[in-house]
DNA sequence: CGTACTATTGATAGATATCAACGCTGGTGG
DNA sequence: CCACCAGCGTTGATATCTATCAATAGTACG
């Protein structure tokens, strides 16, 4: 496939947050990630009511799950960043009860039921996938809390905290910033507010010097402040034991992934310095 | 255990919505349901941060999952009615990221990891449990949509539609009504509104002759109207093929559960006829 | 018969949506 | 290459919704 010197698939990074993989398993995941297909931005991948076309894996870009109301108003129920999976239990369902679409250009792998079965036969992968599902569910709980009980400012702050950490984990953060592939209208559909109000809330977040947001790049100016405003507790993301030790109000620095070797891998420099991912060796 | 002539455990009813169980499997589930323990109303079952004490099954009463904020404000993220399970993947998690408590007096069974493993070894049960998890997740999506994008009136209407159908499915509805074991303040925490506003919204629902709510009993006066107001589509509850055929704006009648024998069981008459369930203790 | 929780109501303040207008930008076709 | 167009961001004015505060009445229960 056409993506130059191939970076380690984000799926491996993700799963190795939870479990140690064997070489065979790692190779399997890597192979699966070869079949990525480009998808245009703002495209529907799956529509509500469809028969589930199988599971999928996002390798690049930003996708999302959403539900649409008769009025046209939509609620976004999940953001899918590189390494995230969708519809793992597609074979169990006869109809999709929500839609999936892309925000940006994406690279997506479709997984057949057989592929999924194969994956499930590897105990560590199976375990990792279940953990990943758990995190998705925990995130849903957190979002419900967010939308149901936080003010508009808090909601945005919380979303940004979550997104920043998630991007950082897969190496798509650059220093204290990341590319926000969402319009204000998208943010509105994520947080259950109107887009005019999103605009004003962003203005307020900027005024308080918590964030900077210009030309699609969100820079976190005051991590402690943003976190405090959002009452953000990263535990639900299960970012790994390493990370737990972080003092709760420091700006989180990219930390070694759990690669078992004890040495910091290149991933880090990448997240910190802004270089692209390079193949990383685990032993 | 102390519950007289024993009705079929709601878990069997629930799982047989999805799959046909063998006699052995049915007996296993029935046995598991013998170990019910009474829990007082308004009691914490599990607190956020705890080590997960294993999975549990609600046999009677109403329990709920929730998250609490520093301010004391809480968001309820799920309601657990008879037949509902919680924490099936407890063994995978080291800390609870939310709390669980009871609204009413409940009868709850705690399931050890070994019990869960045993259950998983029966293919139909395993399948049924996965389906049940899927429904829980779909419900979470629906709630996020509810809280994020519906008006206060619509939110309550939607909640009532869901609850009514769920209660009906497990035989706890009585004609067009069911016992609402929630205070207005609980409803507020469910829907993300203030309790004063819940009060006023209920008033409005009554004024429109959609519902009647007196002394804990919620009667649906105009199912079609309530459903329309809430844009309620029951599909996400996966109530079973039988039910799908229902004309979408009729008042749903209790239908035979798929128990394989072809004959309607007692549980049903109960729901249909308006007699109260026998040997049930409320406090 | 208190006591505590729950439900109800009114008055008010605050938050957020809606409507409308305008400038900017990037892309597209002539 | 330029003119145009569509989508996005921004702002102001206004209406609506919802929370908050406070007081009262009803209800359950010991």
């Amino acid at each position: 496939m056409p993506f130059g010197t191939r970076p380690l698939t984000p799926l491996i990074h993700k799963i190795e947050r939870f479990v140690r993989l064997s070489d065979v398993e790692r190779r399997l995941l890597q192979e699966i990630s070869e079949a990525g297909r480009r998808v245009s931005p703002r495209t529907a991948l799956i529509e509500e009511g469809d028969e589930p076309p199988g599971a999928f894996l996002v390798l690049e870009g930003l996708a999302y799950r959403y539900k649409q109301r008769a009025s046209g108003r939509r609620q976004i129920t999940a953001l899918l960043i590189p390494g995230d999976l969708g519809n793992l239990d597609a074979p169990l369902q006869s109809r999709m009860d929500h839609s999936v679409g892309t925000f940006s250009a994406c690279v997506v792998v479709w997984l057949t039921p057989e592929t999924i079965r194969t994956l499930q036969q590897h105990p560590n992968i199976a375990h990792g996938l279940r953990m990943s599902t758990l995190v998705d569910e925990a995130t849903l709980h957190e979002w419900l809390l967010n939308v149901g009980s936080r003010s508009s400012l808090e909601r945005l702050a919380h979303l940004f905290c979550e997104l920043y950490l998630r991007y950082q984990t897969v190496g798509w953060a650059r220093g204290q910033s990341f590319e926000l592939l969402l319009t204000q209208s998208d943010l509105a559909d994520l947080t259950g507010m109107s887009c005019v109000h999103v605009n004003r809330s962003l203005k307020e977040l900027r005024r308080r010097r918590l964030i900077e947001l210009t030309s699609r790049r969100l820079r976190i100016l005051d991590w402690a402040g943003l976190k405090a405003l959002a009452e953000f507790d990263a535990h639900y993301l299960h970012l790994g034991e390493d990370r737990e030790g972080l003092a709760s109000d420091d700006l989180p620095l990219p930390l070694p992934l759990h690669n078992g070797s004890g040495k910091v891998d290149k991933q880090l420099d990448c997240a910190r310095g802004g270089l692209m991912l390079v193949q990383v060796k685990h032993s």
Side-chain angles (χ1 to χ4, degrees), chain A residues 76-79 139-147 162 190:
Chain A
I76 295 169
T77 58
L79 287 178
T139 304
L140 214 44
H141 278 254
E142 195 63 40
W143 282 28
L144 185 55
L145 173 68
N146 208 27
V147 168
E162 177 186 312
L190 275 159

Side-chain angles (χ1 to χ4, degrees), chain A residues 165-178:
Chain A
L165 286 190
R166 286 171 66 188
Y167 271 126
Q168 192 189 260
T169 307
V170 291
W172 284 80
R174 206 167 79 191
Q176 308 165 30
S177 75
F178 63 94

Side-chain angles (χ1 to χ4, degrees), chain A residues 13-18 131-139 165-166 169 233-244:
Chain A
H13 278 291
K14 175 168 180 158
I15 291 192
E16 289 213 313
R17 291 211 314 258
F18 308 125
M131 288 299 296
S132 149
T133 306
L134 280 187
V135 170
D136 293 345
E137 198 194 309
T139 304
L165 286 190
R166 286 171 66 188
T169 307
D233 173 1
H235 181 257
Y236 71 99
L237 290 174
H238 288 264
L239 295 181
E241 301 305 318
D242 298 331
R243 219 163 277 268
E244 302 288 358

Side-chain angles (χ1 to χ4, degrees), chain A residues 14-266:
Chain A
K14 175 168 180 158
I15 291 192
E16 289 213 313
R17 291 211 314 258
F18 308 125
V19 293
R20 176 90 53 94
L21 295 174
S22 70
D23 284 346
V24 176
E25 289 172 324
R26 215 175 284 128
R27 207 170 313 126
L28 174 59
L29 292 179
Q30 189 70 47
E31 272 164 24
I32 281 173
S33 304
E34 310 290 302
R37 293 170 52 180
R38 296 188 178 284
V39 183
S40 306
R42 307 279 161 181
T43 306
L45 287 175
I46 311 176
E47 306 233 38
E48 184 168 347
D50 284 0
E51 190 167 332
F56 61 89
L57 160 63
V58 178
L59 290 179
E60 294 178 25
L62 183 63
Y64 67 114
R65 303 169 178 282
Y66 66 101
K67 288 199 149 214
Q68 197 128 17
R69 295 187 55 192
S71 65
R73 182 151 180 52
R74 70 182 175 172
Q75 175 70 42
I76 295 169
T77 58
L79 287 178
L80 304 165
I81 73 169
D84 284 339
L85 295 146
N87 283 11
L88 271 189
D89 25 42
L92 292 181
Q93 291 186 294
S94 59
R95 274 172 50 195
M96 291 295 297
D97 60 357
H98 63 270
S99 310
V100 180
T102 61
F103 280 130
S104 71
C106 290
V107 177
V108 171
V109 183
W110 290 98
L111 306 171
T112 63
E114 304 91 79
T115 308
I116 298 175
R117 261 194 298 280
T118 309
L119 290 178
Q120 302 281 11
Q121 278 157 12
H122 293 265
N124 295 321
I125 293 181
H127 187 252
L129 293 180
R130 287 181 64 194
M131 288 299 296
S132 149
T133 306
L134 280 187
V135 170
D136 293 345
E137 198 194 309
T139 304
L140 214 44
H141 278 254
E142 195 63 40
W143 282 28
L144 185 55
L145 173 68
N146 208 27
V147 168
S149 87
R150 284 194 248 259
S151 72
S152 57
L153 228 54
E154 294 166 340
R155 285 183 216 178
L156 286 175
H158 195 277
L159 178 65
F160 293 154
C161 286
E162 177 186 312
L163 266 184
Y164 175 60
L165 286 190
R166 286 171 66 188
Y167 271 126
Q168 192 189 260
T169 307
V170 291
W172 284 80
R174 206 167 79 191
Q176 308 165 30
S177 75
F178 63 94
E179 196 182 357
L180 186 70
L181 298 163
L182 300 163
T183 67
Q184 293 184 353
S185 171
D186 298 329
L187 289 171
D189 293 342
L190 275 159
T191 53
M193 4 190 328
S194 74
C195 57
V196 173
H197 197 54
V198 165
N199 183 286
R200 295 190 165 117
S201 301
L202 288 175
K203 191 171 158 188
E204 173 66 13
L205 287 176
R206 281 187 278 237
R207 197 194 60 76
R208 297 194 191 181
R209 308 216 157 267
L210 294 171
I211 63 163
E212 207 175 83
L213 176 56
T214 43
S215 63
R216 297 272 129 133
R217 180 152 289 275
L218 183 82
R219 177 175 307 280
I220 294 177
L221 299 179
D222 176 1
W223 172 253
L226 197 64
K227 227 181 120 174
L229 172 60
E231 278 184 22
F232 183 80
D233 173 1
H235 181 257
Y236 71 99
L237 290 174
H238 288 264
L239 295 181
E241 301 305 318
D242 298 331
R243 219 163 277 268
E244 302 288 358
L246 260 181
S248 45
D249 28 20
D250 293 339
L251 180 72
L253 293 175
L255 283 185
L257 294 177
H258 173 259
N259 63 7
S261 71
K263 78 173 157 55
V264 173
D265 57 30
K266 289 239 185 75

